[in-house]
Every structure is written in structure tokens, then in C-alpha cells.
Amino acid sequence: MYGNIRVELNHNGKTMPNLEENLGFGKHFTAHMFMMDYEEGTGWHDPRIIPYGPISHDPAAMVFHYGQAVFEGMKAFRTESDEVVLFRPDQNAKRLNRSSERLSIPQIDEEFVVAAIQQLVRIDAAWVPKKKGSSLYIRPFVIATEAILGVRPAMQYSFIIIMSPVDAYYEEGLQPVNILVESYFSRSVRGGTGDAKAAGNYAGSLKAQTLAKEHNCAQVLWLDAIEKKYLEEVGSMNVFFKINGEVVTPSLSGSILEGITRGSIIHLLKDWGIPVTERKISIDDIVEAHANGSLEEAFGTGTAAVVSPIGSLLWNGTPMVINQGKTGELVEKLYATITGIQSGKLPDTYGWLLKV
Ligand SMILES: *Cc1c(COP(=O)(O)O)cnc(C)c1O
């Protein structure tokens, strides 16, 4: 498929940071990257693993003007027995194609994507940190590279994979965050690009996030764009609530990104016999559950943090404190289970890990 991956190994003098120390998130990049190009007529070609470094593009490259770009986010882990594993990479490859389809970007063979990630991780395996909770964050992305100012799908693209050793999101255990319920700005709307991992979705969300920070909130809880009533996501995470023993999460309405962590959590909850429902959830449902004491837990889910407990929701200027602002039992158990599987501490009973 697309020809053999050409490998050009050279660290270009790049030195590895001390992987035992503060890595932060997305600050350090490994020695190599994967690249492959697309041209209408030829298709995807020239897959290569080359030294990490700047790429140069014509200033008229369409990605700079019309934002034709999609990306993925996933992680490789070093297990307790010193193996390097990926968590559900087939799901990321599938979603990359779903996002691409929405943005009129050509598809890439999913098995090839996983194999390319495996080979790149193998080459830079020394960069997968060992420290508890740390991982190698993997960022595959596709950009339109054709140099033309006409508005239409590009005829040239690059598919690139870069990797970054990162710390655990929570160094000292889960920390509940304050969230602002966003009543004016929208992230996406049904029929738009909210269910694709499109770069532009993020550009449009920054302003609300900045304003939330001024209210001492880490992120916003997005409401649907039409009625400003139904919950969608929290920042760039999916959102879950535990109400009176039942777990609920917004159903995929066309404006919500289908998180792989979301899917894994629904799977675990069903397996544990905890009732879990995907449905429309209005902000009024949450206000009511909070008022009558049945709102037990709230949390966001995503690859970067796995889970992020919500300590309070700021709505109409009034904070609704959840579980006394503390990390709930269920979110703690979900975190322990998923990170336990990823680190090899718990058995991989669902077949979620792929060795590189
Ligand atoms: C990536 C992303 C998520 C989380 O997806 P995971 O696959 O769980 O990492 C949720 N919402 C948005 C908007 C995202 O971009």
C-alpha cells in the first residue's frame, strides 16, 4: 500500500529531554516524523520516516487560507513489563478518515495508518517515558498543500505524524475543575464540522475559553447552537453526569465529536452493570438534579487527561458545586481502570492494546 516506508534515520543533533523530569504537554518532539504526500491522480505516495524538522510550504498553500486540515490525538505507553503499546489505534485511524471525509480530504488506508504509527513509535521507542502516568502523545494530521487561492478541495495534501513525550495530565491525582456554562458562543452545529476533528473547530473555540479563564473556569461547557439548551461537550472533551445512580452523556447529535475515551467509558460502565444512557440532556435537567440533590458526579473525558472531574458549573453567574467540589468515586474508578489497562497493571480484557 502506497509503497514501502522509506526510513532516513538521523537525530540531527536533537537531544532527548530527561524523561524523568517535567515534560509538560506537547513541548518536546521526538527525533523522527512520518510524512506522505497526496496528489490527485497519483494518490498517496512516498511514505517516509525522516528526521523531525520544519516543513516548508508555498504561502498560497490552501491550508493557510481555508483551513482544510484534520488531526488525531492518541498515546503510546510503556507498560510495567517494559513493552510499548498503543491504545485503540484502529479507532483513531477510522476517525481520521471520518474527519477527512467531512472536509473533502482523501481517505487513507486505516491499516496503513496504524502500521505507520507502529513503525514510527518503534524507531523513537526510547522517547516513550517510563514515569507513572506519562506517555508518548501521537499527533497524526493532514493538511492541504496545493498552492492556489481558488476555493475548492485541494488536489495536494500531506499526511504527517509527530510525537511528543508528555507527563500525566494530573501529577498529583485527579483535580476537579470549575467550568463555565457557555450561553453565547457555539463550538459547532449539526451539519457543521463539530463531529470531525477539524483544526478550525479549535480556532473558533479559543475566545470562549479565554473568557472562561477570566471567570476562574478551566473550560466551557458548550450548549447546542440552536436552542442554547442541550449540553454538548466540555472544552474539547466529552461530558458525563451521574444522576441518581444513572450515568448519562449527550447522544451524538452531529455536532459532538465522538471521543474514543467516551466509547471506552460507555463500554466499561455497561460491563460493570452501571446504567448508562446516551440522550439529550438539557441544562435545566442538570440544574434540577443539582437542586434536588441527585447530581452525584460530572466529568469530562478525552485522550489527554483520560477523565477530568468537574467541581462546579458556573451558570447564569451562580456556581453549582458538584460532590462538594471533590473527585467522585466513579470517575476515580474509571481513571484507575483505563490507566491501569494502559500501563499493563490490569489485564487488557477488551483487546484495547496493540504492541508496537
Ligand atoms: C478529540 C476530542 C475529544 C476527545 O476524543 P478522544 O478520542 O477521547 O481523545 C472530544 N471532543 C473534541 C471536540 C475533541 O476534539
Side-chain angles (χ1 to χ4, degrees), residues 221 231 239-243 246-250 281 286 295-299 310 313 322:
L221 178 62
L231 311 186
V239 68
F240 286 77
F241 297 86
K242 183 165 170 255
I243 300 172
E246 183 197 23
V247 179
V248 293
T249 189
I281 306 163
I286 299 301
L295 178 57
E296 295 160 22
E297 293 190 34
F299 52 94
I310 298 171
L313 287 174
I322 302 167

Side-chain angles (χ1 to χ4, degrees), residues 52-117:
Y52 184 93
I55 49 175
S56 110
H57 281 291
D58 194 291
M62 291 171 94
V63 65
F64 299 137
H65 305 274
Y66 310 125
Q68 213 189 350
V70 294
F71 69 96
E72 269 304 320
M74 57 194 293
K75 285 174 170 178
F77 302 89
R78 190 175 291 284
T79 65
E80 297 198 330
S81 53
D82 218 24
E83 280 176 331
V84 176
V85 296
L86 298 166
F87 185 74
R88 312 191 73 185
D90 54 314
Q91 299 291 311
N92 294 92
K94 267 201 193 103
R95 190 172 62 189
L96 182 69
N97 271 341
R98 286 206 303 272
S99 301
S100 290
E101 203 278 325
R102 177 64 184 81
L103 272 86
S104 302
I105 292 173
Q107 302 282 290
I108 311 177
D109 182 84
E110 288 160 18
E111 282 176 25
F112 179 87
V113 170
V114 174
I117 292 167

